[in-house]
Amino acid sequence: MAITGVLRPGHAQIRVLDLEEGVKFYRDVLGLVDMGRDSQGRHYFKAWDERDHHSVLIRQADKAGIDLFGFKVDSEETLNKFEKDLQAYGVTTKRIPAGEMINTGERVQFTLNNGHTIELYADKKDVGNCQGYSHPKPWTPEAEHGIAPVRMDHALLAGGDLDQALDIFVNVLGFYLVEEVVAPDGMKVGIWLSCSNKVHDIAFLRHTEDAKLHHVSFYLDTWEKVLRAADIMSMNEVPVDIGPTRHGITRGATIYAWDRSGNRFETFAGGYISYPDHKTLTWPLEHLPEGLDYAQRKLHETFLTVFS
Amino acid sequence: METLKGNITSVMTEEAYEYVKITIAETGESFDCSTNESVLEGMRRLGKRGIPVGCRSGGCSVCKCQVVKGEYHQHRPMSTEYISKQELEENCVLTCCIKPKDNLEVKVIGKMHKNICEK
Ligand code: FES
Ligand SMILES: [Fe+2]
């Protein structure tokens, strides 16, 4: 098995200001599959082609933003090992019992200096994509409902201590740095990290406030589908931030927009395949404008100021 | 999708609306806004500037203003991360979450305020 340790982003738990409106949005506009609600009032969703039970949870709260971001690891042994390694690093960890999150095993949770809660788990129920595991069809009716991304792909989180986040993800959890934005004095302003062949599994921006969500991102197969997503957004009066355009950073063809509660989300296609032995690509801060929007080469003011 | 049903009902039940004037206190600039849309969206759709535009959904606070004159009503929840009860009582609001009832005068107090008003 080539991908070991942390396998992929597993779930994002997002706060919405109105749950029913949030459910309608995530199910019918973004086009995730509705996986039901638990007794705590968290509503569960998965992207149509994901196989594990859920990848997005929303809950009603009086402030928007992100509660936690979780990663699936390859085994219980790995989970135990990361728990020990995090503690040795000096991070306090907490075990959340199996079943606290529906169809999900025990989770090891910790908080970054940035204020973000990150968790690891080894087990989540495989429900498949409705096609079974023998001679599956290439797509399902859900693949055409709403924007209908293939998967929840990554998140960009913001806070003050970028360096600790980088250190933990690289030196404890085994991620590698794919791309970075660096200020003239050498300070890192943004980092894009991978635990796989994807150009990012998680990314961080340096920001004056902690625990902020920049966006949760959803993957589409093609640029055509990104344009279809733009149509669906406008048809549903979804506020769009940037795009459709292409990022210089990671090369994704993208749209940034906001859910009904002001949480930014991204729908994107493309990027490239990265490997752990690749050298990090660097964007000096003066090139952030085209790093962000390669077509327009402009630093959209909202990129560094609007968070939930 | 939300679209189809949404549009039909909104066309059928749309209430009568009128246009009122929104004035930005700092610059004296004004724009016409329907009583049927948020102050922020009214401004943005006309390509006008003055109030910073962010999420347009009550979650990010960049559109924060104090209403110093005129009546409005709140039609969407505002994230309490950025608007306290106290502030609400002082008519500090997220302009993407309020619709005007009559002419309004607003002071811009959100983030990015500098960039826009002190050029
Ligand atoms: S634009 Fe984000 S709260 Fe109004
Ligand atoms: Fe992204």
Side-chain angles (χ1 to χ4, degrees), chain A residues 258 261-262 306-307, chain B residues 40 52-64 78-79 82 94-97:
Chain A
W258 286 283
S261 301
V306 175
F307 299 88
Chain B
L40 189 71
V53 178
C55 70
R56 292 173 258 159
S57 307
C60 78
S61 87
V62 300
C63 67
K64 193 167 174 178
M78 304 177 192
S79 181
Y82 300 112
L94 303 176
T95 47
C96 60
C97 300

